[in-house]
Amino acid sequence: MTIRCLMLAALAATAAPMAIAAAPAGPARHLEPIDLFALETAADPQISPDGSRIAYVRRSNDIMADRARTTIWLVDAKTGAQTPLVATGSANSQPRWSPDGRRLAYVAAAEGGPAQLYVRWMDGGETARITTLPTAPSAIAWSPDGRQIAYLLPVAGEAPKLGQAPPKPEGAKWADPLQVISAVTYRRDGQGYLKAAFDHLFVVPADGGAPRQLTFGEHNDTGPLSWSPDGRTILISSNRRPDWEREPQDSEVFAVDVAAATMRALTDRRGPDRSPVFSPDGRQIAFTGYDDRNLGYQNGGLYVMPATGGAPRLLTGSLDRSVSNPVWAADGRSVAVQYEDRAAVKVARIGLDGAVRPVTDALVQSDLDRPYAGGSFTMARDGTVAFTGGTALRPADVSIVRAGQPPRRLTTLNEALLAPKVLGPVRKLAVTAADGRAIDAWLVTPPDAPAGRRHPLILEIHGGPYSAYGPSFSTDDQLYAAAGYAVLYVNPRGSTSYGEQFANLIQNAYPGDDYGDLMAAVDAAIADGAADPDNLFVTGGSGGGVLTAWIVGKTDRFKAAATQKPVIDWASFVLTADNTAFFARYWFGKMPWEDPQGYWARSPLSLVGNVKTPTMVVVGAEDYRTPVSEAEQYYAALQLRGVPTTLVKVPGASHGGIAARPSQSAAKASAILAWFDRYRQQPKN
């Protein structure tokens, strides 16, 4: 039975006894909420060393469990033929090739326990479980000789205690013990309240055996991990300052001696040094980082330095973009990186002379709800690049690009679902801000819309605020368009991918002139003829939720608004968010008690006395990034003022996971549409 039939059967079972559901006249032509269960995306494509095969994580959804399901598939790089490798279970991840390409390590959960490390012998198909761990390993990396696998694992520490409860009688049922918290960051979005544990480096024989811990202490080590060609050293990034909890942006590159389990710092500067990678000959190390200037946004540059440490040399000083994921070319003469450039996500080879040689600009993210810029890639020894590629009308598939050839899509995960449908077309919209700056924007119009017709317009604002939208597939936008709305999404000042100066136009001024950029985009959509000026609506999440609440405090031109997971009072936010050591320093420069008026002047709550626009408030019930209290106090303020409002909580959802479960993603979009429909006027044309 198909997913659609299952849903129709469920709806029929709950109908009134005498009601007879009308049979559909034919297949649905537009994207529907139920379709979210059928969509799939490709993620984490790992190309084999010889470039012949690609293992990737295939994300789908289980309609009965209402959860994402990840499996691992193998794609032939020439033919595109697919083979399932790990198709059981629901949490398979991190496929990683052995150096000779004959084995594949991966992480999978089986038998209801925590995820473990497995190795599959590709020739015969045999699989062995390598670890028995209390929690899932991460950042797995093969040794050059294929005999060991390194990984990171949380190591439990001792929870703080104060005093002691009296002795409990045998068989008594007492309350849980006191929860004593002494950490600066004591909860994290998506994880909840943190246990006393620190991520450390381990190695384990690739054919099974006892793991061995290599790093220790009350500090966290981070990946990715890189082995030296001789297998004696592993590179990690770690912040080992005594005050690391209050200085979260000051990590260094460390070399860990595998035999002695000792570590040595190779960098020493204020700022984050990350993603270190040995060159093929082991003589140099590439890594990313920057000299911290306490700015809200700073480009992460690509550096190289001798493997023994020493003064690093910046290779991307002329690029003015933030690079990530460094991968050495086999000849050691260049390093491949990815970066955002004017909303496109690119891969390029950076020569040791700083020359930038483009590889592809077609990367897209693997998430579905909103059109954020993103994606991932890996590179084979011959320079072939595998990446997540897609378009504004198709989610991420596995694609490859070889030297001198155009990119080629290998998978078509959603053609059976999307090919028969008419989606809302997406096109670029020219916008000029009040100060003359060009602002990138995109317009999604309803599918099958007659030419020349104006539509009610939803301004949909990205979060971050240091992030960017791009021409990527978005279920939210397509569902809004299928309901008859045009959707406008914009990269106002503060967005990434346009250089450090453009991003920092909102430094100590957010919200600010980004409001003007958004209004200029709305005016451009009206001038374009696509938007009905009497039917304007606005929504956005996180940073977009901030701007939504700011907008309705500044203007009454929108018929209704939906602010999602917003920050309403910056002072309460920086003291309750999950990264409190970061936000006050980098976004304000002062603590709330040092500049209360500065915090208040930028808080949407300061404008609530102006709000007349009916405004719905949406938040995940377990949001620890923009805590639930932010949304609730705005809802309360709107109620006290008599502004039409509704509070919508998404049960069990974190900030980052508010659209993780398909039913909640669909229901959230439906709730926003229902709210807007209350105030939508009939078009005049």
Side-chain angles (χ1 to χ4, degrees):
M1 182 176 285
T2 66
I3 289 175
R4 188 174 301 281
C5 290
L6 282 169
M7 183 57 74
L8 290 173
L11 291 173
T14 58
M18 298 302 294
I20 300 176
R29 287 176 47 80
H30 303 153
L31 192 73
E32 297 182 317
I34 188 63
D35 292 328
L36 271 60
F37 286 96
L39 288 167
E40 299 188 15
T41 61
D44 195 13
Q46 296 289 318
I47 194 165
S48 61
D50 65 1
S52 65
R53 297 175 291 180
I54 301 161
Y56 77 98
V57 176
R58 185 168 174 171
R59 296 179 181 172
S60 57
N61 292 302
D62 183 339
I63 193 170
M64 303 308 292
D66 189 23
R67 291 190 181 277
R69 180 173 180 265
T70 57
T71 53
I72 299 174
W73 288 65
L74 189 69
V75 186
D76 186 285
K78 289 184 179 180
T79 67
Q82 292 202 72
T83 306
L85 285 182
V86 189
T88 59
S90 60
N92 306 294
S93 66
Q94 300 185 68
R96 298 294 183 267
W97 293 98
S98 63
D100 61 6
R102 300 181 64 181
R103 289 168 293 169
L104 189 77
Y106 61 92
V107 173
E111 303 170 0
Q116 303 295 334
L117 179 62
Y118 290 79
V119 170
R120 180 185 180 96
W121 278 254
M122 300 302 290
D123 291 340
E126 300 87 358
T127 299
R129 175 172 162 174
I130 303 301
T131 61
T132 303
L133 303 173
T135 55
S138 63
I140 63 177
W142 288 84
S143 64
D145 61 7
R147 298 176 63 181
Q148 298 183 86
I149 299 175
Y151 58 87
L152 297 176
L153 188 76
V155 177
E158 186 173 349
K161 297 179 181 178
L162 281 175
Q164 187 174 358
K168 182 172 68 173
E170 184 177 353
K173 295 181 180 180
W174 285 15
D176 291 337
L178 301 180
Q179 184 180 13
V180 180
I181 296 171
S182 61
V184 174
T185 298
Y186 57 92
R187 59 185 184 179
R188 186 168 290 126
D189 190 64
Q191 300 179 40
Y193 282 78
L194 302 175
K195 297 180 179 179
F198 300 92
D199 289 340
H200 286 304
L201 175 64
F202 289 76
V203 292
V204 65
D207 55 2
R212 187 163 61 92
Q213 186 174 345
L214 300 185
T215 61
F216 303 84
E218 295 185 349
H219 302 83
N220 288 300
D221 303 322
T222 60
L225 310 176
S226 177
W227 290 77
S228 61
D230 62 12
R232 296 179 179 178
T233 305
I234 300 174
L235 298 176
I236 63 170
S237 176
S238 186
N239 185 341
R240 295 259 161 175
R241 294 176 57 125
D243 59 348
W244 63 271
E245 288 191 276
R246 294 176 179 83
E247 296 286 346
Q249 295 293 94
D250 197 14
S251 59
E252 310 294 347
V253 173
F254 285 84
V256 180
D257 186 295
V258 176
T262 57
M263 58 192 301
R264 179 171 62 92
L266 300 181
T267 60
D268 182 16
R269 64 171 175 176
R270 187 173 182 274
D273 293 328
R274 302 165 175 154
S275 304
V277 188
F278 274 112
S279 62
D281 62 7
R283 295 180 180 179
Q284 298 185 85
I285 295 170
F287 65 96
T288 62
Y290 56 80
D291 293 299
D292 193 357
R293 292 169 286 146
N294 284 346
L295 296 175
Y297 177 81
Q298 298 171 81
N299 281 337
L302 176 66
Y303 292 82
V304 293
M305 67 178 177
T308 54
R313 183 165 59 93
L314 177 64
L315 298 185
T316 55
S318 62
L319 184 58
D320 193 23
R321 297 292 186 267
S322 191
V323 303
S324 62
N325 191 20
V327 180
W328 282 92
D331 61 9
R333 299 170 63 182
S334 64
V335 182
V337 296
Q338 73 181 67
Y339 60 96
E340 298 175 12
D341 182 27
R342 303 196 66 83
V345 182
K346 299 182 176 181
V347 175
R349 292 184 177 90
I350 310 297
L352 297 185
D353 60 354
V356 179
R357 299 174 178 85
V359 175
T360 182
D361 62 356
L363 273 68
V364 300
Q365 65 162 352
S366 297
D367 293 330
L368 289 168
D369 60 322
R370 294 196 284 164
Y372 281 106
S376 62
F377 83 96
T378 54
M379 187 168 67
R381 283 193 294 259
D382 66 357
T384 301
V385 168
F387 63 95
T388 53
T391 69
L393 301 181
R394 291 293 184 272
D397 275 299
V398 177
S399 297
I400 65 167
V401 60
R402 301 185 187 276
Q405 300 180 17
R408 182 163 56 95
R409 187 173 66 166
L410 295 179
T411 63
T412 53
L413 299 181
N414 295 286
E415 285 307 297
L417 173 69
L418 296 181
K421 293 184 180 292
V422 180
L423 298 177
V426 182
R427 58 185 171 90
K428 195 84 172 284
L429 182 69
V431 177
T432 302
D435 61 2
R437 296 177 190 274
I439 301 297
D440 277 350
W442 291 263
L443 195 62
V444 188
T445 48
D448 294 324
R453 174 172 293 181
R454 290 185 179 272
H455 312 282
L457 179 77
I458 297 175
L459 171 64
E460 205 284 317
I461 311 170
H462 74 62
Y466 300 107
S467 62
Y469 276 160
S472 298
F473 184 83
S474 163
T475 54
D476 276 7
D477 291 352
Q478 289 296 333
L479 289 173
Y480 297 155
Y485 290 83
V487 184
L488 174 67
Y489 62 93
V490 188
N491 283 341
R493 65 194 64 204
S495 300
T496 55
S497 80
Y498 302 93
E500 193 172 275
Q501 190 267 346
F502 184 86
N504 281 312
L505 289 172
I506 63 169
Q507 176 71 22
N508 297 326
Y510 164 68
D513 290 341
D514 41 1
Y515 165 82
D517 296 346
L518 295 168
M519 294 304 100
V522 171
D523 293 339
I526 294 170
D528 176 83
D532 178 356
D534 296 321
N535 264 324
L536 302 179
F537 303 85
V538 59
T539 188
S542 193
V546 174
L547 282 163
T548 298
W550 188 260
I551 284 169
V552 297
K554 288 281 190 178
T555 179
D556 299 334
R557 71 186 301 192
F558 294 91
K559 293 296 182 183
T563 177
Q564 303 177 54
K565 48 188 181 182
V567 174
I568 298 304
D569 184 338
W570 285 110
S572 60
F573 163 75
V574 299
L575 298 177
T576 56
D578 64 351
N579 197 0
T580 188
F582 176 86
F583 293 118
R585 170 179 293 181
Y586 291 93
W587 287 10
F588 286 87
K590 294 181 180 180
M591 297 297 166
W593 52 89
E594 296 172 332
D595 185 21
Q597 289 305 313
Y599 274 76
W600 182 248
R602 290 163 57 186
S603 295
L605 191 59
S606 70
L607 302 177
V608 74
N610 302 332
V611 177
K612 300 176 183 176
T613 305
T615 301
M616 181 169 74
V617 186
V618 183
V619 69
E622 295 181 10
D623 190 328
Y624 293 119
R625 178 62 46 81
T626 56
V628 178
S629 56
E630 292 295 308
E632 289 177 335
Q633 62 181 306
Y634 195 57
Y635 169 73
L638 293 171
Q639 285 283 23
L640 291 173
R641 289 209 58 250
V643 177
T645 185
T646 295
L647 176 64
V648 175
K649 282 189 175 181
V650 183
S654 65
H655 186 86
I658 197 168
R661 303 190 73 170
S663 71
Q664 292 181 333
S665 180
K668 180 174 72 72
S670 178
I672 291 170
L673 286 170
W675 181 254
F676 290 169
D677 283 346
R678 286 188 186 182
Y679 304 98
R680 176 175 171 176
Q681 296 181 355
Q682 291 299 317
K684 296 177 180 179
N685 57 346

